[in-house]
Amino acid sequence: MSLSGDERVNLMGMTVSQLEDFFVQMGEKKYRAVQVVKWIHQRGVSSIEEMTDISRSLRDKLAGIAVINAPEVTYQKDSKDGTRKWIMKMPGGSSVETVFIPEEGRGTLCVSSQIGCSLDCSFCSTGKQGFNRDLTAVEIIGQVWLAVKSFDQPGQKRERRVTNVVMMGMGEPLLNFDNVIAAMNLMMEDNAYGLSKRRVTLSTSGVVPAIEQMHGVTDACLALSLHAPNDELRNQLVPINRKYGIEKTLQACKAYLDQLADKRVATIEYTLIDGINDELQHAQELVQVLRQIPCKINLIPFNPFPNSGYRRPSNNRIHRFRETLQQAGYNVTVRKTRGDDIDAACGQLVGRVQDLTKRNQRFIDAVQLGVSAAERAHTR
Ligand code: SAH
Ligand code: SF4
């Protein structure tokens, strides 16, 4: 069996069970799947030829029908604080961003799930760029593959730098359900990246039916981008709220936690925007509304950009908001801005590169119309 280049299947995005089916269909043994997954994701090889514990004849057969292709890195830069950022160009020409944030005892990789986003949150630049397309499973796990590989030292054993993954880059992961689930499956697969289910987090703006669909399909952690304590305000900031409302959304998150085998809390993300959702009264309302769900709260000071129409609150206001929640007993973190010198805030760099190359006229038009929105600070 031999196919021309474009028709060959890319093994990088396939889960163990998908590869098992693939090998069985080829008339081969199932256990080849684990061998191949280990070669690709644990050893970082991108050529079938290098898989030396697979017989020559099978390697030749495989090479005729399969490839191992990662996305193309067009930009990689390190910040003084150790943050590393990539722009990866995907087939079709559009780019996505991936950011690595090292911290005491862990390294978090922020991964994108779509090119653009259709949900149009009022403070998010990805949303303002519109929706281009879903990333494939290869393009999602490929971000992890490339990031992990970028830390390899020639001749030395792999050092485990990426310990956590958050699906908080560009896009709404639950609107690209199957590909995101397959990629997260590989992140948590022992024979691939072996990350603990407590260290892989899916962040959603609240696609309620898809949260329900997660039951039994994944056991990753869940983060909800809430950003407002009542429907009136959330309807303005996060338009998908008009469809489901806060109550239903929180209940869907709680139901997800309840069916997990272990006890877990949701992360509630709350982007603080000056004068919009950062008043004392909002914090007090939030204290009440979150009583119904076990959670911790991650406050994200709004990351400004030209023409967003929003501002980051003062440190005093951030402090006051945090104190109110803490005094009510909540575990609260405030995300620190990191990687400023390399535009690590997700969305910034792609916007700039695309501005320069005039590749994304739609984005430029949006900026010129003054409707462009925010960038995300990738930090925690
Ligand atoms: N679509 C998903 C995941 C990607 S966004 C979601 O919305 O959850 C990751 C986080 O960054 C979300 O909480 C999002 O609301 C937040 N964010 C977006 N733009 C921001 C900005 N300009 N400043 C601060 N946080 C922002
Ligand atoms: Fe999409 Fe998330 Fe941005 Fe909203 S915040 S537009 S859901 S990427």
Side-chain angles (χ1 to χ4, degrees):
M1 181 164 36
S2 169
L3 301 168
S4 69
D6 287 341
E7 290 168 67
R8 287 186 297 177
V9 42
N10 193 342
L11 302 180
M12 182 173 280
M14 291 169 81
T15 61
V16 171
S17 71
Q18 286 168 338
L19 273 168
E20 282 175 352
D21 291 346
F22 171 80
F23 278 111
V24 168
Q25 274 169 20
M26 276 176 82
E28 298 289 335
K29 293 276 187 298
K30 262 188 176 180
Y31 72 86
R32 297 291 183 198
V34 166
Q35 280 181 306
V36 166
V37 160
K38 281 184 170 171
W39 276 111
I40 299 174
H41 299 288
Q42 287 188 349
R43 301 198 182 110
V45 311
S46 53
S47 114
I48 290 164
E49 188 54 30
E50 286 174 70
M51 301 180 175
T52 46
D53 58 0
I54 294 178
S55 70
R56 154 103 354 251
S57 63
L58 179 52
R59 269 185 281 164
D60 288 345
K61 192 168 154 194
L62 261 182
I65 56 168
V67 288
I68 305 162
N69 281 341
E72 181 193 344
V73 174
T74 50
Y75 177 96
Q76 176 183 319
K77 187 124 198 247
D78 287 346
S79 159
K80 288 199 280 294
D81 65 15
T83 303
R84 179 171 287 185
K85 168 146 184 168
W86 299 263
I87 292 194
M88 301 188 192
K89 191 165 127 200
M90 302 300 178
S94 297
S95 300
V96 298
E97 300 171 332
T98 310
V99 182
F100 173 77
I101 305 142
E103 286 168 301
E104 191 71 26
R106 69 174 173 190
T108 303
L109 193 68
C110 181
V111 169
S112 294
S113 58
Q114 296 180 314
I115 304 177
C117 183
S118 60
L119 294 182
D120 201 20
C121 299
S122 67
F123 51 88
C124 173
S125 68
T126 304
K128 293 302 170 194
Q129 288 171 49
F131 176 68
N132 182 319
R133 68 168 173 87
D134 284 337
L135 293 181
T136 62
V138 172
E139 292 165 341
I140 300 169
I141 200 67
Q143 296 169 62
V144 181
W145 188 89
L146 282 161
V148 168
K149 203 173 167 68
S150 77
F151 293 110
D152 284 354
Q153 300 288 344
Q156 280 177 26
K157 198 170 177 287
R158 273 200 154 179
E159 199 188 332
R160 191 161 180 155
R161 299 286 287 274
V162 176
T163 60
N164 294 53
V165 173
V166 290
M167 298 301 305
M168 288 184 193
M170 300 172 82
E172 167 50 55
L174 288 185
L175 290 181
N176 184 12
F177 195 86
D178 291 346
N179 293 330
V180 165
I181 295 293
M184 291 200 312
N185 180 308
L186 280 167
M187 295 170 202
M188 296 185 278
E189 161 67 48
D190 283 343
N191 295 302
Y193 299 93
L195 299 181
S196 147
K197 60 192 176 188
R198 294 175 165 266
R199 289 170 174 266
V200 175
T201 302
L202 184 146
S203 171
T204 180
S205 56
V207 188
V208 167
I211 298 173
E212 289 162 353
Q213 221 185 316
M214 287 169 72
H215 294 206
V217 174
T218 181
D219 54 4
C221 295
L222 184 62
L224 175 69
S225 295
L226 192 65
H227 312 309
N230 60 61
D231 282 330
E232 201 191 340
L233 184 54
R234 192 165 194 262
N235 286 346
Q236 291 169 33
L237 300 177
V238 185
I240 196 177
N241 195 64
R242 294 174 202 156
K243 203 157 177 187
Y244 303 111
I246 291 178
E247 191 66 25
K248 260 198 194 150
T249 307
L250 287 175
Q251 281 313 309
C253 294
K254 181 164 185 303
Y256 174 72
L257 298 177
D258 285 347
Q259 54 83 54
L260 291 174
D262 56 344
K263 207 162 144 0
R264 218 110 44 98
V265 302
T267 301
I268 301 294
E269 293 164 275
Y270 195 104
T271 295
L272 285 168
I273 311 172
D274 191 40
I276 303 285
N277 66 354
D278 67 338
E279 306 291 348
L280 204 52
Q281 147 225 336
H282 294 127
Q284 288 159 347
E285 225 179 318
L286 191 59
V287 163
Q288 294 312 322
V289 85
L290 290 180
R291 291 275 181 236
Q292 57 184 304
I293 182 169
C295 64
K296 59 183 180 193
I297 303 167
N298 189 19
L299 299 175
I300 315 169
F302 171 68
N303 190 47
F305 67 97
N307 301 319
S308 72
Y310 292 132
R311 287 183 313 270
R312 181 190 197 276
S314 67
N315 287 342
N316 272 347
R317 288 176 76 92
I318 296 170
H319 185 73
R320 182 182 70 171
F321 203 91
R322 177 189 194 157
E323 288 275 287
T324 308
L325 300 174
Q326 275 177 333
Q327 276 162 15
Y330 287 102
N331 174 354
V332 190
T333 49
V334 178
R335 202 183 274 190
K336 284 184 283 153
T337 301
R338 296 277 302 268
D340 273 356
D341 53 328
I342 56 161
D343 278 341
C346 204
Q348 274 177 0
L349 202 50
V350 162
R352 187 168 298 175
V353 169
Q354 288 178 340
D355 254 1
L356 290 172
T357 58
K358 300 207 182 303
R359 234 181 257 138
N360 190 341
Q361 196 59 44
R362 191 168 170 189
F363 177 64
I364 299 164
D365 291 344
V367 172
Q368 282 167 351
L369 285 168
V371 294
S372 170
E375 309 295 349
R376 270 163 277 152
H378 265 287
T379 44
R380 47 174 41 212

